[in-house]
Amino acid sequence: YIIGARSSGALADFLGFHLHLMRENVININIGTNTEVYEQIFRIGKDDVCICFSFPRYSQRTVSALKFTHSQNAINIAITDNENAPICKYSNYVLNVECGMISVVDSLAAPMSLINAILVAISVRKKNEIKETYDKLERLWSENKVYAKNQDLETDETGDI
């Protein structure tokens, strides 16, 4: 399970997208204004891991969700900016990473670097399994023309796409 709300939702989505390609049973929890989070996490249990992103301003929905996963004895991993963040209280492991405010926009550069490091570590550890998975995906993507190649892009008479 991967949880993140508001601007942290982008981090959760990125990790969830790539982790889903590498492993089975990855569930990205959508914490939005029109979703009920408990309907998405009610099956979580002691054999599950929940990775939760929360940065200032900390979303109360995220804290409540992690409190529930904690009550179900899931292994909770918090990715946040400091050990005093509200989700740390409900986490087995805490990964602190800077998430500075630049003007009115949160800087997600450092958390994204941590996510990349996690994904690389998994791919190194599960190298053979992931190679098989990506070989299969590459064939499927190619057969179904999922991605455009530069030579496939149409241009107008000015050379613009």
Side-chain angles (χ1 to χ4, degrees):
Y1 293 81
I2 302 171
I3 298 175
R6 308 194 55 81
S7 61
S8 294
L11 298 167
D13 287 344
F14 184 82
L15 177 62
F17 173 80
H18 288 285
L19 203 54
H20 174 75
L21 296 178
M22 294 180 176
R23 304 196 41 90
E24 294 181 30
N25 300 323
V26 174
I27 301 170
N28 218 21
I29 303 304
N30 181 1
I31 299 182
T33 55
N34 295 324
T35 62
E36 182 52 63
V37 69
Y38 300 104
E39 292 168 3
Q40 299 174 68
I41 61 175
F42 77 95
R43 288 189 174 99
I44 199 165
K46 66 179 178 57
D47 296 325
D48 296 312
V49 173
C50 180
I51 300 172
C52 184
F53 294 89
S54 185
F55 293 94
R57 304 167 135 188
Y58 307 106
S59 166
Q60 183 57 48
R61 287 179 181 211
T62 302
V63 175
S64 296
L66 205 64
K67 182 177 180 180
F68 174 78
T69 62
H70 177 75
S71 75
Q72 301 304 299
N73 298 313
I75 297 168
N76 289 335
I77 301 171
I79 300 178
T80 188
D81 64 321
N82 72 74
E83 63 277 354
N84 295 318
I87 62 170
C88 293
K89 178 182 191 176
Y90 305 110
S91 300
N92 303 84
Y93 304 97
V94 176
L95 301 173
N96 289 328
V97 62
E98 185 66 34
C99 184
M101 195 69 151
I102 300 175
S103 165
V104 294
V105 178
D106 297 330
S107 173
L108 301 179
M112 285 297 283
S113 293
L114 176 62
I115 291 168
N116 283 328
I118 291 168
L119 292 170
V120 168
I122 292 168
S123 66
V124 167
R125 189 165 212 201
K126 301 274 189 182
K127 183 170 57 174
N128 294 333
E129 178 184 325
I130 289 175
K131 182 184 179 334
E132 287 177 26
T133 298
Y134 274 87
D135 287 346
K136 183 176 183 176
L137 281 169
E138 288 293 344
R139 282 192 304 277
L140 284 168
W141 292 332
S142 179
E143 290 168 6
N144 293 286
K145 298 181 182 345
V146 171
Y147 296 107
K149 298 177 182 170
N150 285 341
Q151 66 268 20
D152 294 340
L153 299 176
E154 293 183 31
T155 58
D156 62 20
E157 53 277 351
T158 65
D160 292 335
I161 294 176

